[in-house]
Amino acid sequence: NAGVTQTPKFQVLKTGQSMTLQCAQDMNHEYMSWYRQDPGMGLRLIHYSVGAGITDQGEVPNGYNVSRSTTEDFPLRLLSAAPSQTSVYFCASSYRQGASYGYTFGSGTRLTVV
Amino acid sequence: SQQGEEDPQALSIQEGENATMNCSYKTSINNLQWYRQNSGRGLVHLILIRSNEREKHSGRLRVTLDTSKKSSSLLITASRAADTASYFCASYQTGANNLFFGTGTRLTVIP
């Protein structure tokens, strides 16, 4: 049982480039989300999805797009990378959105924008 | 910001001692959760306490919740070197229906 798989683990982008961070889970979880982690800031919610075809914005959505065409996959797209998007990105999933469930996290993608 | 804060930011103790970390949050919650993050890894769920609970135990972990003060604490008893990690509280906020994380406490357990 793989849990939540994120790829790539490391990425360096030039300013203005675009890329997609991949996230896949094999637990049939309805809820998936993306966080970014910056020093001294904790984790901040970027986007989330409560099921296939449904997405919504979190605290810091600007510069990022998401889609959820299947239950398993929840990719995060950076449209035009900026140095402010240098961060560690985590994908998380939960059985469903609700107050009773803990989150399962992927191992993260460390992104540097130069 | 919807984040909470944790205190202290860093804590260093000897193996066998107890470690206490505190968390404050800003709005009403359905539950509060604690996670551990080893260096360079993802977060791992430790324990969840509901808003109508005051204390919960799991192995060497003890969590308390005071909704009147909007605060929680995590106690790790008889610490081990393997407990060295960052610990985050996360509040499941009523209405927002998402998990919002604190800034974390970096715990170092010295063998």
Side-chain angles (χ1 to χ4, degrees):
Chain A
N1 203 351
V4 178
T5 302
Q6 289 186 239
T7 56
K9 294 190 182 302
F10 301 94
Q11 183 71 48
V12 178
L13 286 180
K14 294 182 179 179
T15 297
Q17 286 185 318
S18 63
M19 79 159 296
T20 299
L21 280 63
Q22 302 291 344
C23 175
Q25 53 90 8
D26 61 357
M27 298 171 286
N28 202 31
H29 283 177
E30 289 186 359
Y31 177 86
M32 297 184 74
S33 56
W34 278 100
Y35 288 85
R36 59 177 289 173
Q37 184 176 32
D38 302 293
M41 299 289 291
L43 281 80
R44 292 181 291 169
L45 181 65
I46 304 172
H47 284 285
Y48 65 96
S49 168
V50 299
I54 305 170
T55 64
D56 208 344
Q57 298 181 348
E59 291 180 275
V60 289
N62 293 339
Y64 308 95
N65 273 358
V66 292
S67 60
R68 183 100 179 267
S69 56
T70 67
T71 299
E72 294 79 18
D73 299 299
F74 190 45
L76 178 72
R77 281 183 287 276
L78 281 70
L79 307 175
S80 177
S84 60
Q85 293 179 303
T86 293
S87 187
V88 182
Y89 291 84
F90 288 100
C91 179
S93 73
S94 178
Y95 178 62
R96 64 177 53 159
Q97 186 184 41
S100 301
Y101 309 104
Y103 287 13
T104 301
F105 278 83
S107 57
T109 295
R110 185 174 296 272
L111 176 68
T112 302
V113 182
V114 298
Chain B
S1 170
Q2 295 172 289
Q3 292 181 305
E5 292 190 0
E6 296 183 58
D7 171 62
Q9 291 186 333
L11 180 61
S12 184
I13 60 174
Q14 295 289 329
E15 200 165 32
E17 293 181 337
N18 295 341
T20 299
M21 288 158 270
N22 302 297
C23 166
S24 62
Y25 57 91
K26 298 182 179 180
T27 67
S28 64
I29 61 172
N30 289 323
N31 68 54
L32 188 133
Q33 304 178 25
W34 286 87
Y35 288 78
R36 184 187 73 236
Q37 183 181 35
N38 291 92
S39 182
R41 307 294 293 272
L43 282 75
V44 175
H45 182 258
L46 295 177
I47 194 167
L48 180 156
I49 185 166
R50 302 184 199 288
S51 60
N52 61 353
E53 297 176 314
R54 291 297 167 259
E55 186 171 313
K56 199 164 185 179
H57 297 256
S58 177
R60 293 184 295 113
L61 305 180
R62 172 179 170 258
V63 171
T64 62
L65 179 65
D66 187 336
T67 53
S68 67
K69 296 181 179 179
K70 292 187 171 57
S71 67
S72 175
S73 68
L74 171 68
L75 169 68
I76 303 173
T77 60
S79 64
R80 306 166 181 168
D83 294 329
T84 293
S86 292
Y87 291 82
F88 293 87
C89 69
S91 55
Y92 197 92
Q93 298 180 2
T94 305
N97 290 326
N98 279 296
L99 209 53
F100 294 93
F101 285 80
T103 51
T105 293
R106 173 68 186 170
L107 173 66
T108 301
V109 181
I110 302 167

